[in-house]
Amino acid sequence: MAADANAGGPGYRVLVAQGGGPTAVINQSLVGLVLEARRHAGVTHVYGARHGVRGIVAEDLLDLTQETTANLERVAATPAAALGSTRDKPDAAYCGRIFEVLKAHGITHFFYIGGNDSSDTVRIVAEHAASANYALRCIHVPKTIDNDLVENDHTPGFPSAARFVAQAFAGANLDNAALPGVYLGVVMGRHAGFLTAAAAMAQTHPDDGPHLIYLPERVFDTESFLADVKRVHAAHGRCVIAVSEGIHDASGEAIVTRLSQGAVERDAHGNVQLSGTGALADLLCEEIKNKLGIKRVRGDTFGYLQRSFAGCVSEVDQREAREVGERAVQFALAAGGRDGSVAIKRVGEYAVDYQLLPLQTVAGKTRVMEDEFIDAAGTGVTDAFRRYLRPLLGTGLPEPARLRAGPVPKRLNKD
Amino acid sequence: MAADANAGGPGYRVLVAQGGGPTAVINQSLVGLVLEARRHAGVTHVYGARHGVRGIVAEDLLDLTQETTANLERVAATPAAALGSTRDKPDAAYCGRIFEVLKAHGITHFFYIGGNDSSDTVRIVAEHAASANYALRCIHVPKTIDNDLVENDHTPGFPSAARFVAQAFAGANLDNAALPGVYLGVVMGRHAGFLTAAAAMAQTHPDDGPHLIYLPERVFDTESFLADVKRVHAAHGRCVIAVSEGIHDASGEAIVTRLSQGAVERDAHGNVQLSGTGALADLLCEEIKNKLGIKRVRGDTFGYLQRSFAGCVSEVDQREAREVGERAVQFALAAGGRDGSVAIKRVGEYAVDYQLLPLQTVAGKTRVMEDEFIDAAGTGVTDAFRRYLRPLLGTGLPEPARLRAGPVPKRLNKD
């Protein structure tokens, strides 16, 4: 910790930015943060950077002090990142340029809303400020549909995306029951299977899908997969499957790479492009058709709908996303405060509180699903996971019902 | 018209079935029909066939007279087809077997909820009854997300699917604005572009996507498509595209067949399998990447989510789907009634009424988008279409908002 950003007294200048993949509620965090900052007499300016760190280095800043509260409230209810986002993952030199811009604009408090990459950026920027003995408070505000930040009970954005996945599978299961066959839905999450596992919440009756769930926390074996599908299809006359985009073999190679024989797109970090393509679903469906001889096999890739569909949000997620923004400002402006990453802690069934963790606790680390959340077969979730997830999804979830009428005795085709 | 089904007096036996693709509100029609039938003193039995015509010939019937009203109301609010559906398209012999089962069970009133194939089945079954001089009232109840029934202002199921598509593109547009690039969403509809065109309702600001819409009512030319995308991307730095799964070239060949060099699945009728695969989106994205050199190109295929997502429904659609079921029974039991297909007619801005059309008016015919609904360029919709669609979507649609704050003067990178 360098010089105290709060020591200078009134005249604070706040800068906020949004990074990584958009979510349904990231703008709640932005607006909670902006309104809380504007409430403080000591804060004279609240700036927002367009497209995350990229906008900072380009000095592409908006003066949010001038926004109407009414419009901010409407923005809060809008999905995706209102300031714009970026996939840039700054190295030390890039962070140095960020720091130079913050210094030039006299920024005293820097907030970055994002995932674990973003928290690492905040950490490095804070180090630059400390080296320069420049008084800058640096706070990371959590956000990710992947739910993969360590030391967080869960992350804002995940509950709404999980709700979308649960509602999607509830509908897909009913569709599949009406027109039986195999249905496979591919869900986002490269390393952490939380979002794919949320599909389990679609089950109302014991024979409801998804009947099989494949997570990146377990090794994916195509032969076992086919045997599982064959078994379920024989038992129910149909099969609904949830698959994480991040499934991989024992060597860690992505299944989409194996099945497509390497014809995949890679990003600047060498990561295989998993979203924005239906390749994995199509390849797995081909396997089922060719190897099991099942005729009606359909695959959907939930793609970008699951993180930004306008109109599917958990009100619990909405409220908590708002609060992490508000709490970020309170932590930042507290007397004797420190840099850190805001985290959600569960303190009741169901209640949460917020803590400020050291940046290095969260930065660059990835949480995956705990073993106690995955069943023994590795193709389903446990009751512990259901109990964990249920309160996050909010109220008003669909409650699918079935006809229960008895059969009419046959008159022609008597047995 | 054969013998009068209503002439026999009390003791009517009603049979209802559901056919074709499930929708978010087809169970409203089922339940409206069942409850209205049970309300009539003359009706002694209300049967439902499992999995459409397939369940009729197998005598797989449920006695809906025994269902609780409370459970029926819950089923009404559940998406997909509660009785189960089928893709069987009966020929004359199959319809003969249907008629034999109806006769064996003393059915006096037959209702089939489905699209234009289903109405054709009803027509042929009615002919069998007439030939046999058997008193059977035959009514087709409309349902299809494709909105392709002639002489109908619109069809139950379409408004809710259109709402899903509009909400999906509203979110995808915001996501694309946050992380710019090209986004392409493939929407259902083999011959009729109504559902794809509904993407236009996602636009709030003039530069919002979808910027381009490709419909099966217009010939798709890959070169023109690439030129369109290049132009929009140059103007906005991004591009959001809605594409119908049914786009085809001047010869009528499906684009997915052309781009994949024929490696496609066909159904029993020789139709190319369009849904349940991400092939078209992936192939179009490849074209854009390879020919235009744009790096961030993402494609989603909305697949089964758009017709059965649990929790996205237009309350206008819900109400009308219920009413077509109720009106079907009223038409069927009216003194001096006749066979027919229930149709929605728009009688105000916005109000509807229901008519019973002759079965041959609707049976086996396909409505496509009227020319007045498609703009001159063929890549967008007209205000007439927006005015047509808006009241169908219901209330409570998301209203995306943007930040309007002005820029902060640059201090380092001064121009």
Side-chain angles (χ1 to χ4, degrees):
Chain A
M1 172 81 198
D4 187 350
N6 297 338
Y12 300 144
R13 288 167 176 264
V14 166
L15 176 68
V16 57
Q18 297 172 308
T23 80
V25 298
I26 186 172
N27 290 331
Q28 290 285 355
S29 298
L30 171 68
V31 170
L33 194 155
V34 170
L35 292 180
E36 183 67 14
R38 300 203 313 189
R39 217 168 57 78
H40 281 263
V43 175
T44 55
H45 296 78
V46 181
Y47 293 165
R50 299 269 301 139
H51 296 290
V53 288
R54 183 180 284 241
I56 301 179
V57 297
E59 283 188 277
D60 188 4
L61 311 179
L62 301 180
D63 186 0
L64 300 178
T65 327
Q66 306 304 323
E67 268 291 343
T68 64
T69 301
N71 194 50
L72 284 171
E73 288 295 355
R74 294 191 63 219
V75 167
T78 301
L83 283 171
S85 190
T86 178
R87 284 293 181 192
D88 283 7
K89 190 180 167 183
D91 56 13
Y94 195 125
C95 288
R97 295 209 301 281
I98 292 172
F99 173 64
E100 290 305 321
V101 172
L102 301 189
K103 200 169 70 171
H105 286 268
I107 301 301
T108 54
H109 298 75
F110 170 47
F111 299 88
Y112 201 20
I113 310 170
N116 46 25
D117 285 350
S118 302
S119 65
D120 205 39
T121 298
V122 175
R123 184 185 61 79
I124 303 172
V125 170
E127 284 176 3
H128 278 274
S131 300
N133 203 30
Y134 177 89
L136 180 69
R137 174 74 75 245
C138 294
I139 305 280
H140 167 244
V141 184
K143 174 273 346 169
T144 168
I145 65 166
D146 292 338
N147 202 37
D148 63 352
L149 298 191
V150 299
E151 298 292 327
N152 280 264
D153 179 75
H154 59 277
T155 55
F158 166 66
S160 294
R163 185 176 173 125
F164 181 93
V165 169
Q167 293 188 199
F169 271 97
N173 171 66
L174 292 161
D175 197 297
N176 181 259
L179 287 173
V182 173
Y183 177 85
L184 184 148
V186 172
V187 180
M188 279 185 175
R190 188 181 296 268
H191 301 295
F194 291 101
L195 194 55
T196 304
M201 307 307 278
Q203 296 163 326
T204 304
H205 296 82
D207 60 342
D208 277 336
H211 307 96
L212 297 167
I213 299 177
Y214 295 93
L215 306 164
E217 283 82 357
R218 294 290 179 264
V219 168
F220 185 88
D221 175 72
T222 308
E223 296 312 311
S224 307
F225 166 74
L226 291 171
D228 292 340
V229 174
K230 188 176 178 181
R231 177 176 43 80
V232 170
H233 191 265
H236 298 293
R238 64 191 194 92
C239 183
V240 176
I241 312 165
V243 176
S244 163
E245 63 178 10
I247 53 168
H248 55 80
D249 66 14
S251 75
E253 187 181 26
I255 298 300
V256 68
T257 315
R258 280 194 59 163
L259 293 179
S260 65
Q261 285 145 0
V264 290
E265 179 185 341
R266 288 174 192 277
D267 68 13
H269 311 291
N271 292 321
V272 173
Q273 168 60 28
L274 297 176
S275 300
T277 153
L280 179 58
D282 288 354
L283 292 165
L284 291 173
C285 286
E286 281 305 308
E287 286 288 307
I288 295 169
K289 276 185 218 168
N290 297 338
K291 305 278 172 65
L292 299 184
I294 299 172
K295 210 176 152 208
R296 191 167 190 278
V297 182
R298 303 289 181 252
D300 279 342
T301 303
F302 289 4
Y304 293 88
L305 303 189
Q306 64 202 306
R307 77 178 189 199
S308 56
F309 186 78
C312 181
V313 75
S314 153
E315 80 275 13
V316 173
D317 192 22
Q318 212 165 23
R319 180 180 74 214
E320 292 176 350
R322 183 73 164 231
E323 283 195 301
V324 294
E326 294 181 348
R327 292 292 282 142
V329 172
Q330 294 176 350
F331 283 127
L333 292 176
R338 56 178 173 79
D339 296 346
S341 176
V342 181
I344 301 180
K345 297 286 182 179
R346 191 180 301 219
V347 296
E349 185 86 44
Y350 173 80
V352 297
D353 201 358
Y354 304 91
Q355 287 184 9
L356 189 69
L357 304 176
L359 286 166
Q360 54 270 31
T361 304
V362 177
K365 297 193 179 70
T366 302
R367 173 190 181 190
V368 296
M369 275 183 83
E370 289 75 11
D371 283 342
E372 68 184 47
F373 285 165
I374 305 173
D375 73 9
T379 55
V381 302
T382 60
D383 283 346
F385 180 73
R386 291 192 183 85
R387 185 174 172 189
Y388 163 77
L389 184 54
R390 187 60 197 82
L392 308 186
L393 300 182
T395 57
L397 279 166
E399 299 182 325
R402 296 179 177 187
L403 293 171
R404 293 178 303 207
V408 175
K410 293 180 197 257
R411 294 189 175 185
L412 292 178
N413 306 292
K414 288 179 185 156
D415 296 321
Chain B
M1 172 76 198
D4 187 347
N6 296 339
Y12 300 145
R13 287 168 176 263
V14 166
L15 176 69
V16 56
Q18 297 174 308
T23 80
V25 297
I26 187 173
N27 290 332
Q28 289 285 354
S29 299
L30 171 68
V31 170
L33 195 155
V34 170
L35 292 179
E36 183 68 14
R38 301 203 312 188
R39 216 170 56 80
H40 282 262
V43 175
T44 54
H45 295 79
V46 180
Y47 292 165
R50 298 272 300 140
H51 297 290
V53 288
R54 183 180 284 241
I56 301 179
V57 297
E59 284 189 276
D60 189 3
L61 312 179
L62 301 180
D63 185 1
L64 300 177
T65 326
Q66 306 303 324
E67 268 291 345
T68 64
T69 301
N71 193 49
L72 284 171
E73 287 297 354
R74 293 190 63 218
V75 167
T78 300
L83 283 170
S85 190
T86 179
R87 285 292 181 195
D88 283 6
K89 192 180 168 183
D91 56 14
Y94 195 125
C95 288
R97 294 208 302 280
I98 293 172
F99 172 63
E100 290 306 321
V101 172
L102 300 189
K103 200 168 69 172
H105 286 268
I107 300 301
T108 54
H109 297 77
F110 170 48
F111 299 89
Y112 201 22
I113 310 172
N116 44 28
D117 285 349
S118 302
S119 64
D120 206 37
T121 299
V122 175
R123 183 184 63 76
I124 302 172
V125 170
E127 284 176 4
H128 277 273
S131 299
N133 203 31
Y134 177 89
L136 180 71
R137 173 77 73 245
C138 293
I139 304 279
H140 167 245
V141 184
K143 174 275 343 171
T144 167
I145 65 166
D146 292 339
N147 201 38
D148 63 353
L149 298 191
V150 298
E151 298 292 328
N152 280 264
D153 180 75
H154 59 279
T155 55
F158 165 66
S160 293
R163 186 176 173 126
F164 182 92
V165 168
Q167 291 188 202
F169 270 98
N173 171 65
L174 293 161
D175 197 297
N176 181 260
L179 287 173
V182 173
Y183 177 85
L184 184 147
V186 171
V187 181
M188 279 185 175
R190 188 182 293 269
H191 301 295
F194 290 102
L195 194 56
T196 305
M201 306 306 278
Q203 296 164 325
T204 305
H205 296 84
D207 59 343
D208 277 335
H211 307 97
L212 297 167
I213 298 177
Y214 296 92
L215 306 164
E217 284 82 357
R218 295 289 179 266
V219 168
F220 185 89
D221 175 74
T222 309
E223 296 311 310
S224 307
F225 166 74
L226 291 171
D228 292 340
V229 175
K230 187 177 179 180
R231 175 175 43 79
V232 170
H233 191 264
H236 298 293
R238 65 189 192 94
C239 184
V240 176
I241 312 165
V243 176
S244 163
E245 63 178 11
I247 53 168
H248 55 81
D249 67 13
S251 75
E253 188 180 26
I255 299 300
V256 69
T257 316
R258 280 194 60 160
L259 294 177
S260 65
Q261 286 145 357
V264 289
E265 178 185 341
R266 289 174 192 274
D267 67 14
H269 312 290
N271 292 321
V272 173
Q273 170 60 28
L274 297 175
S275 299
T277 154
L280 179 60
D282 288 354
L283 292 164
L284 291 172
C285 286
E286 281 305 307
E287 286 289 307
I288 296 169
K289 277 184 217 169
N290 297 339
K291 305 279 173 62
L292 299 183
I294 298 172
K295 210 177 151 210
R296 192 169 189 278
V297 183
R298 302 289 181 252
D300 279 342
T301 303
F302 289 4
Y304 293 89
L305 303 188
Q306 64 201 306
R307 77 177 187 198
S308 55
F309 186 77
C312 181
V313 73
S314 153
E315 80 276 12
V316 174
D317 192 23
Q318 213 164 21
R319 180 179 74 215
E320 292 176 350
R322 183 75 165 228
E323 282 196 302
V324 294
E326 294 181 347
R327 292 292 281 143
V329 172
Q330 295 177 349
F331 283 127
L333 293 176
R338 54 179 174 77
D339 296 346
S341 175
V342 181
I344 301 181
K345 297 286 183 179
R346 190 180 301 221
V347 297
E349 187 86 46
Y350 173 78
V352 297
D353 202 355
Y354 304 92
Q355 288 183 9
L356 188 69
L357 304 176
L359 286 166
Q360 56 270 31
T361 304
V362 177
K365 297 193 179 71
T366 301
R367 174 189 180 188
V368 297
M369 276 183 80
E370 289 75 12
D371 284 342
E372 69 183 47
F373 285 163
I374 305 173
D375 74 8
T379 56
V381 301
T382 60
D383 284 345
F385 179 74
R386 290 191 183 85
R387 185 174 172 189
Y388 163 77
L389 184 54
R390 186 61 196 81
L392 308 187
L393 300 182
T395 57
L397 279 166
E399 298 182 325
R402 295 179 177 186
L403 294 170
R404 293 177 304 208
V408 176
K410 293 180 196 261
R411 293 188 176 186
L412 292 177
N413 307 292
K414 289 177 184 153
D415 296 319

